[in-house]
């Protein structure tokens, strides 16, 4: 999903120190409830994706696989970013809205099969505003 607004919101969260970087920090944040959205690069290791996806599913945290490590890194002011978790609740919800708006605009029920269970609580009907 090459979406400038989505990436700029990630950058805003990074500047506000509202992002946890790395698999360990993200898993800890998921467990203690401080992370509202997890973004994983498409080129992350399969074992890493599975571990993060299972944690997100168990703790009902939004999960998204997008871009590659270099695009995510550039958006957040780092060289690379493979796994990151958004800690700022307002930004996490806004990013989830943008994901659903993107799916709605492209007549897509779900951007990626793993995102369904995580974003089901919001749903396109709840957060998508026709205006």
């Amino acid at each position: 999903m090459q979406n400038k607004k989505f990436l700029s919101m990630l950058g805003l969260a990074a500047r506000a120190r509202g992002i946890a970087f790395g698999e360990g920090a993200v898993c800890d944040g998921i467990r203690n409830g401080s992370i509202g959205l997890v973004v994983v690069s498409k080129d992350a290791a399969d074992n890493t994706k599975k571990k993060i996806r299972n944690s997100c599913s168990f703790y009902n945290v939004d999960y998204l696989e997008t871009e590659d490590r270099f695009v995510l890194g550039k958006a957040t002011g780092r060289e690379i970013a493979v796994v990151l978790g958004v800690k700022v609740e307002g930004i996490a919800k806004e990013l989830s809205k943008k994901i659903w708006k993107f799916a709605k605009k492209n007549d897509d029920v779900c951007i990626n099969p793993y995102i369904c269970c995580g974003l089901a609580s919001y749903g396109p009907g709840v957060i998508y505003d026709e205006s």
Side-chain angles (χ1 to χ4, degrees):
M1 177 174 72
Q2 184 69 29
N3 189 340
K4 285 180 119 178
K5 288 185 180 182
F6 179 81
L7 294 174
S8 67
M9 289 287 289
L10 278 180
L12 180 65
R15 285 189 296 277
R17 302 211 187 272
I19 290 186
F21 292 96
E23 182 181 350
V26 170
C27 282
D28 290 342
I30 291 170
R31 278 188 227 110
N32 68 27
S34 64
I35 290 182
L37 172 67
V38 175
V39 181
V40 179
S41 68
K42 287 180 182 175
D43 56 350
D46 291 335
N47 193 33
T48 300
K49 289 180 191 178
K50 181 179 181 253
K51 183 177 180 180
I52 298 293
R53 194 171 46 240
N54 290 344
S55 293
C56 287
S57 177
F58 184 78
Y59 290 99
N60 198 25
V61 174
D62 299 340
Y63 174 87
L64 175 66
E65 280 183 36
T66 184
E67 305 300 341
D68 65 3
R69 63 185 68 206
F70 299 106
V71 173
L72 287 177
K74 185 176 179 183
T76 56
R78 293 176 169 234
E79 192 172 328
I80 60 171
V82 178
V83 178
L84 54 93
V86 181
K87 297 187 280 187
V88 181
E89 186 177 338
I91 293 177
K93 284 189 178 182
E94 189 63 31
L95 287 170
S96 294
K97 287 180 185 180
K98 289 192 183 306
I99 293 166
W100 277 110
K101 284 181 182 180
F102 181 82
K104 174 81 170 172
K105 186 168 108 178
N106 294 321
D107 294 325
D108 195 4
V109 175
C110 184
I111 296 169
N112 139 356
Y114 304 115
I115 203 174
C116 285
C117 63
L119 289 176
S121 59
Y122 296 111
V126 176
I127 62 169
Y128 184 73
D129 186 10
E130 296 293 331
S131 58

